[in-house]
Every structure is written in C-alpha cells, then in structure tokens.
C-alpha cells in the first residue's frame, strides 16, 4: 500500500481518537459511565473512536463498509484483537449475518458522521435497539444537511467545490456545477448519494421519537469539535437561541451530538 494511504489513515485515526477522548466520551458520560463498557461503532472508519473505551477497560466492535479502513483498524488494534477485546468487521450493517451477531451485546452504540450516509435513517435507528443491552445508549453525531458544508464538499477536488451552501441548489443545477468544475463522475456520484441520504435536525428528532428513543442529552455546535483536529479551529457550542429555532438552526450548526436510550 502507498505511504500516503497509511499517512492519511493514520491522521484520520488520530483525529477520531482525540475527538472521542476530549468531546465524545465526556458527552456520553452525561448519561452513562464510560468505564468497562461494551461498545459498537457502526461506520467506524479507521476505528479511532473505539480506542478511548478500550483504554478504560471496555471492549469494542467496529463495522464498516470499507475493507481498507477495516484493514487499517485491524492493524492499529492488533494487540486488543489478540486479547479478545476488539473485533472489526468489513461489511454492511444491514447484512443479516453481521447484524445477527450483534444482538443484545452492547452498552454503547455509536454512529458518528455515518447516519447521514446510510439509506433508511429510521430503519437503522430501530435496528440499533436490537444491539443494545437493557439500559444501553446510542450516541449519534451528524452534520445537518443545510449547514455550510452539509454536501460533504471536503470530498471534492476543485477549489470551487469547497464553497459553502451551493449543495442546496436543486439537484440538476448542483450536478451541472460540479461537472463544470471538472469533478469526476465517481466523485459526483458520491456527492449525489449524500443528497439522497441527507438529514435535517427536525427529521432526525422526529425519527428519534417515532422509533421509541428518549433523548438523554443533546448538544449542537456552531464549530464542530473535530475542526480543532482537522483545521486548528476552536470548537464552539451553538448559541441557545439559534438551537431553539427549527429549520434556521440547520444553516448555522456544523454538527449535532445526541445521546439516546430506547424507552420502548
Ligand atoms: C464519514 S465516515 C465516518 C467514520 C468515523 N465514524 C468518523 O467519525 O471518522 C462514514 C463511514 O460509514 C461507513 N458506512 C456507510 N454506510 C454503512 C453501512 N451501511 N454499513 C457499515 N458502514 C457504513 C462508510 O464506509 C464510512 O467509513
């Protein structure tokens, strides 16, 4: 594998791990102790979010569609895997063979920057309830679709691709603009998939209620904590009055953290 491949995966792993240690675990601790917990991350990428739980005596399972990311995680966690404290699975969380092995095993389930990529938001929320032990919690972190870079502009290659908000154009105009600026068909398809699976704060909160979860804690951010590790920016919680205005809040909120527990 090329060196750059390893370097970028290592950087991602480090960002995931630091963000989890400093922001995600303290947030989850608002609802449940984070020591000695069995943790499942769906869409775990390189697996960095799981590491702080293992340091605290827990166990972890990561599932991701990408075999390359899972291969990286398996190397990073080799000693934990040998000790039987970690497992990584390459595949789709909707695959019955994978999900069947996860039922009833976890104190904490995590979907960080993943739910907005998965088809069937309510379906995955309902499914995760089967993976939790009684009293278990689900952490979800996601960027609302209408935030400045909700189209995942970081995936584009041209500089204009990184402009804020233009992903909110009608789909054909958005596609045309990406073509005009020379984005590859593969990139455009990926970005159109984000259009298809996008998620707003209102829709998310409605689905949370409909699928039988209670919100234990929530935090909206004006400046996403992960930007500290990616861009050196200071994280900032969203102003309370912005957070309280449905629809409008989505335009100015770069990420949302939710801690949920099944109530039925
Ligand atoms: C943006 S990455 C987030 C990675 C990591 N959670 C983080 O915060 O850095 C989203 C991940 O979700 C994975 N993913 C998307 N749909 C999935 C599915 N149906 N089953 C398993 N993984 C999925 C993708 O392969 C990708 O690695």
């Amino acid at each position: 594998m090329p060196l750059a491949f390893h370097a970028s995966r290592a950087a991602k792993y480090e960002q995931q791990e630091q963000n989890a240690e400093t922001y995600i675990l303290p947030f989850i601790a608002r609802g449940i102790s984070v020591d000695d917990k069995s943790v499942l991350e769906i869409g775990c990428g390189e697996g960095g979010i799981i590491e702080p739980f293992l340091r605290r005596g827990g166990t972890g399972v990561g599932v991701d569609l990408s075999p390359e990311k899972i291969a990286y995680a398996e190397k990073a966690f080799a000693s934990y895997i040998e000790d039987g404290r970690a497992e990584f699975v390459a595949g789709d969380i909707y695959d019955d063979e994978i999900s069947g092995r996860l039922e009833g095993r976890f104190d904490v389930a995590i979907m960080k920057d993943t739910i907005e990529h998965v088809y069937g938001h309510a379906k995955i929320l309902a499914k995760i309830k089967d993976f939790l032990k009684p009293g278990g919690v689900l952490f979800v972190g996601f960027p609302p679709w209408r935030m400045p870079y909700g189209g995942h502009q970081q995936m584009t290659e041209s500089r204009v691709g990184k402009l804020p908000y233009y992903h909110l154009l009608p789909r054909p105009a958005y596609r045309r603009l990406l073509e005009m600026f020379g984005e590859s068909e593969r990139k455009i398809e990926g970005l159109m998939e984000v259009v298809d699976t996008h998620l707003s704060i209102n829709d998310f909160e409605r689905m949370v209620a409909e699928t039988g979860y209670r919100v234990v804690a929530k935090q909206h951010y004006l400046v996403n904590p992960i930007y500290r590790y990616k861009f050196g920016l200071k994280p900032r919680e969203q102003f309370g009055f912005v957070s309280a205005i449905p629809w409008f809040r989505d335009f100015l909120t770069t990420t949302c953290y939710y801690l949920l527990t099944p109530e039925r």
Side-chain angles (χ1 to χ4, degrees), residues 1 10 48 55 94 114 140 198 200 216 239 241 244 248 262:
M1 269 177 271
R55 281 202 296 267
Y94 285 132
T114 295
V140 183
H198 72 256
S200 71
V216 178
F239 297 102
F241 78 94
F248 173 71

Side-chain angles (χ1 to χ4, degrees), residues 242-263:
V242 174
S243 238
I245 308 174
W247 192 76
F248 173 71
R249 60 189 174 186
D250 288 54
F251 289 91
L252 299 176
T253 300
T254 55
T255 196
C256 307
Y257 282 8
Y258 284 82
L259 190 67
L260 312 172
T261 194
E263 60 177 0

